[in-house]
Amino acid sequence: MQKLEQIYEGKAKKVFAIDDPGLVIVEYKDDATAFNGQKKGTIRGKGIINNRMSNCLMLLLENAGIPTHFVREMSERETLVKKVTIVPLEVIVRNISAGSFSKRYGVEEGIKFEEPVIEFSYKNDSLGDPLLNTSHALALKLATEEEIKTIRSYSLKINTCLQAFWAECGITLVDFKLEFGKTAGGSIVLADEISPDTCRLWDSVSGEKLDKDRFRRDLGGVEEAYAEVMKRVTEHDNC
Ligand code: TMP
Protein backbone atom coordinates (compact mmCIF):
# COMPACT_ATOMS: atom_id res chain seq x y z
CA MET A 1 0.00 0.00 0.00
CA GLN A 2 2.13 2.85 -1.35
CA LYS A 3 1.56 6.49 -0.32
CA LEU A 4 1.15 8.64 -3.45
CA GLU A 5 0.68 12.42 -3.53
CA GLN A 6 -0.48 14.43 -0.52
CA ILE A 7 -4.04 15.55 -1.21
CA TYR A 8 -4.72 17.61 1.91
CA GLU A 9 -2.97 19.04 4.95
CA GLY A 10 -5.03 20.08 7.94
CA LYS A 11 -3.96 21.47 11.31
CA ALA A 12 -3.29 18.06 12.86
CA LYS A 13 -3.19 15.58 9.96
CA LYS A 14 -2.09 15.05 6.38
CA VAL A 15 -4.01 12.95 3.87
CA PHE A 16 -2.35 10.96 1.07
CA ALA A 17 -3.78 9.26 -2.00
CA ILE A 18 -2.92 5.60 -2.57
CA ASP A 19 -3.38 3.36 -5.61
CA ASP A 20 -6.94 2.44 -4.51
CA PRO A 21 -9.25 5.39 -5.31
CA GLY A 22 -11.67 4.40 -2.53
CA LEU A 23 -9.06 4.69 0.25
CA VAL A 24 -6.60 7.26 1.63
CA ILE A 25 -3.87 7.24 4.27
CA VAL A 26 -4.14 9.73 7.13
CA GLU A 27 -0.90 10.76 8.88
CA TYR A 28 -1.13 12.30 12.36
CA LYS A 29 1.21 15.22 13.20
CA ASP A 30 2.39 16.56 16.56
CA ASP A 31 1.23 20.08 15.60
CA ALA A 32 -1.33 21.64 17.89
CA THR A 33 -3.42 24.74 17.24
CA ALA A 34 -6.16 26.52 19.12
CA PHE A 35 -8.50 29.48 18.59
CA ASN A 36 -8.83 28.81 14.87
CA GLY A 37 -5.10 28.46 14.34
CA GLN A 38 -4.10 31.67 16.15
CA LYS A 39 -2.21 29.73 18.82
CA LYS A 40 0.34 27.25 17.50
CA GLY A 41 2.55 24.70 19.17
CA THR A 42 3.79 21.15 19.28
CA ILE A 43 2.70 18.39 21.61
CA ARG A 44 5.48 15.81 21.42
CA GLY A 45 4.20 12.32 20.64
CA LYS A 46 0.60 13.51 20.19
CA GLY A 47 0.34 12.15 16.64
CA ILE A 48 1.24 8.65 17.80
CA ILE A 49 -1.21 8.77 20.71
CA ASN A 50 -4.10 10.25 18.72
CA ASN A 51 -3.66 7.76 15.87
CA ARG A 52 -3.77 4.77 18.24
CA MET A 53 -6.52 6.12 20.46
CA SER A 54 -8.77 7.23 17.63
CA ASN A 55 -8.43 3.82 15.97
CA CYS A 56 -9.28 2.09 19.26
CA LEU A 57 -12.40 4.21 19.67
CA MET A 58 -13.48 3.87 16.03
CA LEU A 59 -13.26 0.07 16.41
CA LEU A 60 -15.30 0.22 19.60
CA LEU A 61 -17.96 2.28 17.79
CA GLU A 62 -17.95 -0.02 14.72
CA ASN A 63 -18.63 -2.91 17.09
CA ALA A 64 -21.53 -0.93 18.52
CA GLY A 65 -23.03 -0.52 15.03
CA ILE A 66 -21.76 2.94 14.05
CA PRO A 67 -20.23 2.97 10.55
CA THR A 68 -16.82 4.68 10.50
CA HIS A 69 -14.10 5.51 7.98
CA PHE A 70 -11.59 3.23 9.77
CA VAL A 71 -9.99 0.44 7.73
CA ARG A 72 -6.61 -0.48 9.23
CA GLU A 73 -3.72 1.02 11.21
CA MET A 74 -0.64 1.14 8.98
CA SER A 75 2.04 2.46 11.37
CA GLU A 76 2.51 4.51 14.55
CA ARG A 77 1.23 7.64 12.82
CA GLU A 78 -0.59 6.33 9.75
CA THR A 79 -4.04 4.83 9.24
CA LEU A 80 -5.81 3.58 6.15
CA VAL A 81 -9.33 5.01 5.95
CA LYS A 82 -12.18 5.12 3.45
CA LYS A 83 -12.02 8.15 1.20
CA VAL A 84 -14.99 10.36 2.06
CA THR A 85 -16.27 13.84 1.36
CA ILE A 86 -16.38 15.55 4.73
CA VAL A 87 -19.82 16.97 5.57
CA PRO A 88 -18.95 20.59 6.50
CA LEU A 89 -20.65 20.38 9.88
CA GLU A 90 -18.76 20.06 13.16
CA VAL A 91 -21.00 18.22 15.57
CA ILE A 92 -20.40 19.02 19.23
CA VAL A 93 -21.98 16.88 21.92
CA ARG A 94 -21.96 18.21 25.48
CA ASN A 95 -22.75 16.40 28.73
CA ILE A 96 -21.37 19.07 31.08
CA SER A 97 -21.00 22.83 30.59
CA ALA A 98 -17.50 23.96 29.55
CA GLY A 99 -15.58 25.95 26.96
CA SER A 100 -17.54 28.01 24.45
CA PHE A 101 -20.89 26.92 25.95
CA SER A 102 -19.96 28.43 29.30
CA LYS A 103 -18.59 31.54 27.65
CA ARG A 104 -21.52 32.10 25.26
CA TYR A 105 -24.29 31.53 27.81
CA GLY A 106 -22.49 32.96 30.85
CA VAL A 107 -22.56 29.82 32.99
CA GLU A 108 -19.83 28.23 35.06
CA GLU A 109 -18.03 25.11 33.86
CA GLY A 110 -19.02 21.75 35.36
CA ILE A 111 -22.83 21.89 35.31
CA LYS A 112 -24.15 18.43 34.39
CA PHE A 113 -26.94 18.50 31.80
CA GLU A 114 -30.01 16.28 32.18
CA GLU A 115 -29.87 15.50 28.46
CA PRO A 116 -26.90 15.84 26.12
CA VAL A 117 -26.70 19.09 24.15
CA ILE A 118 -25.99 18.80 20.41
CA GLU A 119 -24.55 21.75 18.52
CA PHE A 120 -23.60 22.15 14.89
CA SER A 121 -21.07 24.56 13.56
CA TYR A 122 -20.25 25.32 9.95
CA LYS A 123 -16.79 23.85 9.25
CA ASN A 124 -15.28 26.92 7.65
CA ASP A 125 -12.00 28.28 9.05
CA SER A 126 -12.24 31.63 7.26
CA LEU A 127 -15.57 32.28 9.00
CA GLY A 128 -14.31 30.91 12.34
CA ASP A 129 -16.63 27.84 12.31
CA PRO A 130 -19.86 29.72 13.19
CA LEU A 131 -22.56 27.98 15.23
CA LEU A 132 -25.64 27.09 13.18
CA ASN A 133 -28.94 25.24 13.46
CA THR A 134 -30.55 22.63 11.20
CA SER A 135 -32.46 25.19 9.12
CA HIS A 136 -29.25 27.16 8.50
CA ALA A 137 -27.51 23.93 7.47
CA LEU A 138 -30.38 23.08 5.10
CA ALA A 139 -30.46 26.60 3.63
CA LEU A 140 -26.70 26.43 3.02
CA LYS A 141 -27.14 22.91 1.56
CA LEU A 142 -24.42 21.55 3.85
CA ALA A 143 -26.37 18.28 4.16
CA THR A 144 -29.85 16.92 3.47
CA GLU A 145 -32.55 16.60 6.11
CA GLU A 146 -32.11 12.81 6.06
CA GLU A 147 -28.33 13.12 6.51
CA ILE A 148 -28.73 15.52 9.43
CA LYS A 149 -31.17 13.06 11.06
CA THR A 150 -28.64 10.26 10.64
CA ILE A 151 -25.78 12.42 11.97
CA ARG A 152 -27.82 13.43 15.01
CA SER A 153 -28.82 9.87 15.84
CA TYR A 154 -25.26 8.49 15.34
CA SER A 155 -23.90 11.33 17.52
CA LEU A 156 -26.21 10.48 20.43
CA LYS A 157 -25.37 6.79 20.15
CA ILE A 158 -21.64 7.61 20.01
CA ASN A 159 -22.06 9.73 23.15
CA THR A 160 -23.66 6.82 25.04
CA CYS A 161 -20.88 4.42 23.97
CA LEU A 162 -18.04 6.83 24.67
CA GLN A 163 -19.40 7.97 28.03
CA ALA A 164 -19.50 4.33 29.17
CA PHE A 165 -16.03 3.60 27.79
CA TRP A 166 -14.39 6.66 29.38
CA ALA A 167 -16.17 6.01 32.69
CA GLU A 168 -14.50 2.59 32.76
CA CYS A 169 -11.16 4.42 32.33
CA GLY A 170 -11.91 6.69 35.30
CA ILE A 171 -12.64 9.62 33.00
CA THR A 172 -15.70 11.88 32.66
CA LEU A 173 -16.58 12.72 29.05
CA VAL A 174 -17.47 16.41 29.27
CA ASP A 175 -17.90 17.18 25.56
CA PHE A 176 -16.48 16.28 22.16
CA LYS A 177 -16.50 17.17 18.48
CA LEU A 178 -17.32 14.79 15.64
CA GLU A 179 -17.06 15.03 11.87
CA PHE A 180 -18.89 12.81 9.42
CA GLY A 181 -18.10 11.93 5.82
CA LYS A 182 -20.01 10.71 2.81
CA THR A 183 -18.66 7.65 1.00
CA ALA A 184 -18.71 7.28 -2.79
CA GLY A 185 -21.86 5.18 -2.28
CA GLY A 186 -23.53 8.11 -0.48
CA SER A 187 -23.62 6.68 3.04
CA ILE A 188 -22.73 8.69 6.14
CA VAL A 189 -19.79 7.41 8.21
CA LEU A 190 -17.96 8.78 11.24
CA ALA A 191 -14.67 10.36 10.06
CA ASP A 192 -11.83 12.56 11.37
CA GLU A 193 -10.57 11.54 14.84
CA ILE A 194 -11.63 11.04 18.45
CA SER A 195 -8.81 11.96 20.81
CA PRO A 196 -7.81 14.37 23.61
CA ASP A 197 -7.61 16.99 20.82
CA THR A 198 -11.34 16.66 20.15
CA CYS A 199 -12.78 15.66 23.55
CA ARG A 200 -12.83 17.25 26.99
CA LEU A 201 -11.78 14.51 29.39
CA TRP A 202 -11.75 15.11 33.16
CA ASP A 203 -10.40 12.66 35.73
CA SER A 204 -13.53 11.19 37.38
CA VAL A 205 -12.15 11.61 40.89
CA SER A 206 -9.94 14.71 40.89
CA GLY A 207 -11.57 16.58 38.00
CA GLU A 208 -8.11 17.16 36.52
CA LYS A 209 -8.19 18.15 32.85
CA LEU A 210 -6.63 15.42 30.69
CA ASP A 211 -7.09 16.93 27.22
CA LYS A 212 -6.12 19.73 24.86
CA ASP A 213 -7.48 22.39 27.24
CA ARG A 214 -4.08 22.03 28.97
CA PHE A 215 -2.53 23.42 25.76
CA ARG A 216 -5.34 25.92 24.98
CA ARG A 217 -5.20 27.39 28.50
CA ASP A 218 -1.43 27.05 29.15
CA LEU A 219 -2.00 24.74 32.12
CA GLY A 220 1.28 22.79 31.63
CA GLY A 221 1.65 19.00 31.72
CA VAL A 222 0.20 18.64 28.21
CA GLU A 223 2.27 15.64 27.07
CA GLU A 224 1.80 13.97 30.46
CA ALA A 225 -1.99 14.31 30.21
CA TYR A 226 -2.10 12.74 26.73
CA ALA A 227 0.17 9.91 27.95
CA GLU A 228 -2.04 9.33 31.01
CA VAL A 229 -5.18 9.03 28.88
CA MET A 230 -3.41 6.65 26.48
CA LYS A 231 -2.21 4.53 29.41
CA ARG A 232 -5.76 4.21 30.73
CA VAL A 233 -7.12 3.28 27.29
CA THR A 234 -4.40 0.65 26.81
CA GLU A 235 -4.96 -0.80 30.27
CA HIS A 236 -8.71 -0.98 29.64
CA ASP A 237 -8.61 -2.48 26.21
CA ASN A 238 -5.82 -4.10 24.30
CA CYS A 239 -7.15 -2.82 21.00
P1 TMP B 1 -15.81 24.40 22.60
O1 TMP B 1 -16.36 24.38 23.99
O2 TMP B 1 -14.58 25.22 22.44
O3 TMP B 1 -16.87 24.76 21.59
O4 TMP B 1 -15.37 22.90 22.27
C1 TMP B 1 -16.26 21.82 22.38
C2 TMP B 1 -15.53 20.52 22.10
O5 TMP B 1 -15.12 20.43 20.75
C3 TMP B 1 -14.27 20.32 22.93
O6 TMP B 1 -14.23 18.96 23.36
C4 TMP B 1 -13.14 20.59 22.00
C5 TMP B 1 -13.71 20.24 20.64
N1 TMP B 1 -13.23 21.11 19.58
C6 TMP B 1 -12.54 20.57 18.52
O7 TMP B 1 -12.30 19.37 18.46
N2 TMP B 1 -12.13 21.41 17.53
C7 TMP B 1 -12.38 22.74 17.53
O8 TMP B 1 -11.97 23.44 16.61
C8 TMP B 1 -13.11 23.29 18.65
C9 TMP B 1 -13.41 24.76 18.71
C10 TMP B 1 -13.51 22.44 19.64
Side-chain angles (χ1 to χ4, degrees), residues 1-29:
M1 202 73 64
Q2 190 68 19
K3 263 202 276 190
L4 303 175
E5 81 277 8
Q6 182 179 308
I7 49 180
Y8 178 76
E9 179 162 9
K11 289 186 283 237
K13 298 186 283 297
K14 295 177 179 175
V15 181
F16 295 88
I18 57 163
D19 48 17
D20 183 332
L23 302 172
V24 291
I25 288 178
V26 175
E27 184 186 311
Y28 285 73
K29 307 188 283 184

Short mmCIF file of all heavy atoms in Angstrom, two decimals, residues 1-29:
data_model
loop_
_atom_site.label_atom_id
_atom_site.label_comp_id
_atom_site.label_asym_id
_atom_site.label_seq_id
_atom_site.Cartn_x
_atom_site.Cartn_y
_atom_site.Cartn_z
N MET A 1 0.87 -1.20 0.00
CA MET A 1 0.00 0.00 0.00
C MET A 1 0.89 1.24 0.00
O MET A 1 1.38 1.66 1.05
CB MET A 1 -0.88 -0.05 1.26
CG MET A 1 -2.14 0.75 1.18
SD MET A 1 -3.43 0.11 0.13
CE MET A 1 -3.87 -1.43 0.97
N GLN A 2 1.15 1.77 -1.18
CA GLN A 2 2.13 2.85 -1.35
C GLN A 2 1.46 4.22 -1.23
O GLN A 2 0.44 4.47 -1.86
CB GLN A 2 2.75 2.69 -2.74
CG GLN A 2 3.96 3.55 -3.03
CD GLN A 2 5.17 3.14 -2.19
OE1 GLN A 2 5.24 2.03 -1.66
NE2 GLN A 2 6.12 4.05 -2.07
N LYS A 3 2.07 5.11 -0.40
CA LYS A 3 1.56 6.49 -0.32
C LYS A 3 1.88 7.22 -1.62
O LYS A 3 3.03 7.21 -2.05
CB LYS A 3 2.27 7.22 0.82
CG LYS A 3 1.47 7.23 2.10
CD LYS A 3 1.85 8.32 3.04
CE LYS A 3 2.87 8.35 3.97
NZ LYS A 3 3.24 9.14 4.96
N LEU A 4 0.89 7.84 -2.24
CA LEU A 4 1.15 8.64 -3.45
C LEU A 4 1.16 10.11 -3.04
O LEU A 4 1.66 10.44 -1.99
CB LEU A 4 0.11 8.33 -4.53
CG LEU A 4 0.02 6.84 -4.93
CD1 LEU A 4 -1.12 6.60 -5.90
CD2 LEU A 4 1.33 6.36 -5.54
N GLU A 5 0.54 10.99 -3.84
CA GLU A 5 0.68 12.42 -3.53
C GLU A 5 -0.18 12.82 -2.31
O GLU A 5 -1.22 12.20 -2.03
CB GLU A 5 0.33 13.28 -4.75
CG GLU A 5 -1.13 13.51 -5.03
CD GLU A 5 -1.80 12.37 -5.80
OE1 GLU A 5 -1.15 11.31 -6.00
OE2 GLU A 5 -2.96 12.52 -6.18
N GLN A 6 0.29 13.88 -1.63
CA GLN A 6 -0.48 14.43 -0.52
C GLN A 6 -1.67 15.18 -1.12
O GLN A 6 -1.50 16.01 -2.00
CB GLN A 6 0.41 15.39 0.27
CG GLN A 6 -0.30 15.97 1.48
CD GLN A 6 0.61 16.90 2.28
OE1 GLN A 6 1.71 16.52 2.65
NE2 GLN A 6 0.14 18.09 2.54
N ILE A 7 -2.88 14.86 -0.63
CA ILE A 7 -4.04 15.55 -1.21
C ILE A 7 -4.61 16.61 -0.28
O ILE A 7 -5.43 17.43 -0.69
CB ILE A 7 -5.15 14.56 -1.66
CG1 ILE A 7 -5.49 13.55 -0.57
CG2 ILE A 7 -4.75 13.84 -2.94
CD1 ILE A 7 -6.58 12.57 -0.98
N TYR A 8 -4.16 16.62 0.97
CA TYR A 8 -4.72 17.61 1.91
C TYR A 8 -3.78 17.71 3.11
O TYR A 8 -3.19 16.71 3.52
CB TYR A 8 -6.12 17.15 2.35
CG TYR A 8 -6.78 18.07 3.36
CD1 TYR A 8 -7.34 19.28 2.96
CD2 TYR A 8 -6.84 17.72 4.72
CE1 TYR A 8 -7.94 20.12 3.88
CE2 TYR A 8 -7.45 18.56 5.64
CZ TYR A 8 -8.00 19.76 5.21
OH TYR A 8 -8.59 20.59 6.12
N GLU A 9 -3.65 18.91 3.66
CA GLU A 9 -2.97 19.04 4.95
C GLU A 9 -3.82 19.91 5.85
O GLU A 9 -4.11 21.07 5.54
CB GLU A 9 -1.56 19.64 4.81
CG GLU A 9 -0.91 19.78 6.19
CD GLU A 9 0.60 19.96 6.19
OE1 GLU A 9 1.18 20.16 5.10
OE2 GLU A 9 1.16 19.90 7.31
N GLY A 10 -4.25 19.33 6.96
CA GLY A 10 -5.03 20.08 7.94
C GLY A 10 -4.13 20.52 9.08
O GLY A 10 -2.90 20.45 8.98
N LYS A 11 -4.76 20.95 10.19
CA LYS A 11 -3.96 21.47 11.31
C LYS A 11 -3.26 20.33 12.07
O LYS A 11 -2.19 20.54 12.62
CB LYS A 11 -4.85 22.30 12.23
CG LYS A 11 -5.23 23.63 11.54
CD LYS A 11 -5.99 24.56 12.46
CE LYS A 11 -7.41 24.12 12.59
NZ LYS A 11 -8.41 25.11 12.22
N ALA A 12 -3.86 19.15 12.08
CA ALA A 12 -3.29 18.06 12.86
C ALA A 12 -2.96 16.81 12.04
O ALA A 12 -2.34 15.88 12.56
CB ALA A 12 -4.25 17.67 13.99
N LYS A 13 -3.39 16.79 10.77
CA LYS A 13 -3.19 15.58 9.96
C LYS A 13 -2.91 15.93 8.51
O LYS A 13 -3.28 17.00 8.04
CB LYS A 13 -4.46 14.70 10.02
CG LYS A 13 -4.80 14.20 11.43
CD LYS A 13 -5.96 13.22 11.45
CE LYS A 13 -7.33 13.82 11.30
NZ LYS A 13 -7.75 14.74 12.35
N LYS A 14 -2.26 14.97 7.84
CA LYS A 14 -2.09 15.05 6.38
C LYS A 14 -2.85 13.88 5.78
O LYS A 14 -2.96 12.83 6.41
CB LYS A 14 -0.61 14.91 6.01
CG LYS A 14 0.27 16.03 6.50
CD LYS A 14 1.72 15.74 6.13
CE LYS A 14 2.63 16.87 6.59
NZ LYS A 14 4.04 16.56 6.35
N VAL A 15 -3.29 14.04 4.54
CA VAL A 15 -4.01 12.95 3.87
C VAL A 15 -3.30 12.67 2.54
O VAL A 15 -2.98 13.59 1.79
CB VAL A 15 -5.48 13.35 3.60
CG1 VAL A 15 -6.23 12.20 2.93
CG2 VAL A 15 -6.19 13.73 4.91
N PHE A 16 -3.05 11.39 2.29
CA PHE A 16 -2.35 10.96 1.07
C PHE A 16 -3.22 10.03 0.23
O PHE A 16 -3.91 9.16 0.78
CB PHE A 16 -1.06 10.20 1.44
CG PHE A 16 -0.05 11.06 2.14
CD1 PHE A 16 -0.07 11.21 3.53
CD2 PHE A 16 0.93 11.74 1.41
CE1 PHE A 16 0.85 12.01 4.18
CE2 PHE A 16 1.86 12.53 2.06
CZ PHE A 16 1.83 12.67 3.45
N ALA A 17 -3.13 10.20 -1.08
CA ALA A 17 -3.78 9.26 -2.00
C ALA A 17 -2.97 7.96 -1.99
O ALA A 17 -1.77 7.96 -1.66
CB ALA A 17 -3.79 9.85 -3.40
N ILE A 18 -3.64 6.86 -2.33
CA ILE A 18 -2.92 5.60 -2.57
C ILE A 18 -3.44 5.04 -3.90
O ILE A 18 -4.26 5.68 -4.55
CB ILE A 18 -3.14 4.58 -1.41
CG1 ILE A 18 -4.63 4.32 -1.20
CG2 ILE A 18 -2.48 5.04 -0.13
CD1 ILE A 18 -4.87 3.06 -0.39
N ASP A 19 -2.97 3.85 -4.29
CA ASP A 19 -3.38 3.36 -5.61
C ASP A 19 -4.84 2.91 -5.68
O ASP A 19 -5.37 2.70 -6.76
CB ASP A 19 -2.41 2.26 -6.10
CG ASP A 19 -2.17 1.21 -5.05
OD1 ASP A 19 -2.96 1.15 -4.08
OD2 ASP A 19 -1.18 0.46 -5.17
N ASP A 20 -5.50 2.76 -4.53
CA ASP A 20 -6.94 2.44 -4.51
C ASP A 20 -7.73 3.75 -4.37
O ASP A 20 -7.60 4.44 -3.35
CB ASP A 20 -7.20 1.50 -3.32
CG ASP A 20 -8.66 1.05 -3.25
OD1 ASP A 20 -9.55 1.80 -3.71
OD2 ASP A 20 -8.89 -0.05 -2.72
N PRO A 21 -8.56 4.09 -5.36
CA PRO A 21 -9.25 5.39 -5.31
C PRO A 21 -10.30 5.50 -4.20
O PRO A 21 -10.75 6.61 -3.89
CB PRO A 21 -9.92 5.49 -6.70
CG PRO A 21 -10.04 4.08 -7.17
CD PRO A 21 -8.89 3.32 -6.57
N GLY A 22 -10.66 4.38 -3.60
CA GLY A 22 -11.67 4.40 -2.53
C GLY A 22 -11.07 4.60 -1.14
O GLY A 22 -11.80 4.67 -0.15
N LEU A 23 -9.72 4.63 -1.06
CA LEU A 23 -9.06 4.69 0.25
C LEU A 23 -8.02 5.80 0.27
O LEU A 23 -7.50 6.20 -0.78
CB LEU A 23 -8.36 3.35 0.53
CG LEU A 23 -9.22 2.08 0.54
CD1 LEU A 23 -8.33 0.84 0.65
CD2 LEU A 23 -10.21 2.11 1.71
N VAL A 24 -7.70 6.30 1.46
CA VAL A 24 -6.60 7.26 1.63
C VAL A 24 -5.84 6.89 2.91
O VAL A 24 -6.36 6.15 3.75
CB VAL A 24 -7.09 8.73 1.75
CG1 VAL A 24 -7.66 9.24 0.43
CG2 VAL A 24 -8.10 8.91 2.88
N ILE A 25 -4.62 7.41 3.02
CA ILE A 25 -3.87 7.24 4.27
C ILE A 25 -3.82 8.58 5.00
O ILE A 25 -3.50 9.61 4.41
CB ILE A 25 -2.44 6.71 4.00
CG1 ILE A 25 -2.52 5.24 3.56
CG2 ILE A 25 -1.56 6.84 5.25
CD1 ILE A 25 -1.19 4.60 3.22
N VAL A 26 -4.19 8.55 6.28
CA VAL A 26 -4.14 9.73 7.13
C VAL A 26 -2.87 9.63 7.97
O VAL A 26 -2.56 8.57 8.51
CB VAL A 26 -5.37 9.76 8.07
CG1 VAL A 26 -5.28 10.92 9.04
CG2 VAL A 26 -6.65 9.88 7.26
N GLU A 27 -2.12 10.74 8.06
CA GLU A 27 -0.90 10.76 8.88
C GLU A 27 -1.06 11.82 9.97
O GLU A 27 -1.32 12.99 9.67
CB GLU A 27 0.30 11.08 7.99
CG GLU A 27 1.62 11.03 8.73
CD GLU A 27 2.78 11.51 7.85
OE1 GLU A 27 2.93 11.04 6.71
OE2 GLU A 27 3.52 12.38 8.34
N TYR A 28 -0.93 11.41 11.21
CA TYR A 28 -1.13 12.30 12.36
C TYR A 28 0.16 13.05 12.69
O TYR A 28 1.22 12.44 12.86
CB TYR A 28 -1.55 11.49 13.58
CG TYR A 28 -2.99 11.02 13.54
CD1 TYR A 28 -3.39 9.99 12.69
CD2 TYR A 28 -3.95 11.58 14.38
CE1 TYR A 28 -4.71 9.56 12.67
CE2 TYR A 28 -5.27 11.14 14.37
CZ TYR A 28 -5.64 10.14 13.51
OH TYR A 28 -6.94 9.70 13.48
N LYS A 29 0.06 14.37 12.86
CA LYS A 29 1.21 15.22 13.20
C LYS A 29 1.21 15.54 14.71
O LYS A 29 0.20 15.34 15.38
CB LYS A 29 1.11 16.55 12.43
CG LYS A 29 0.94 16.41 10.93
CD LYS A 29 1.04 17.75 10.22
CE LYS A 29 -0.19 18.60 10.35
NZ LYS A 29 -0.14 19.85 9.58
#
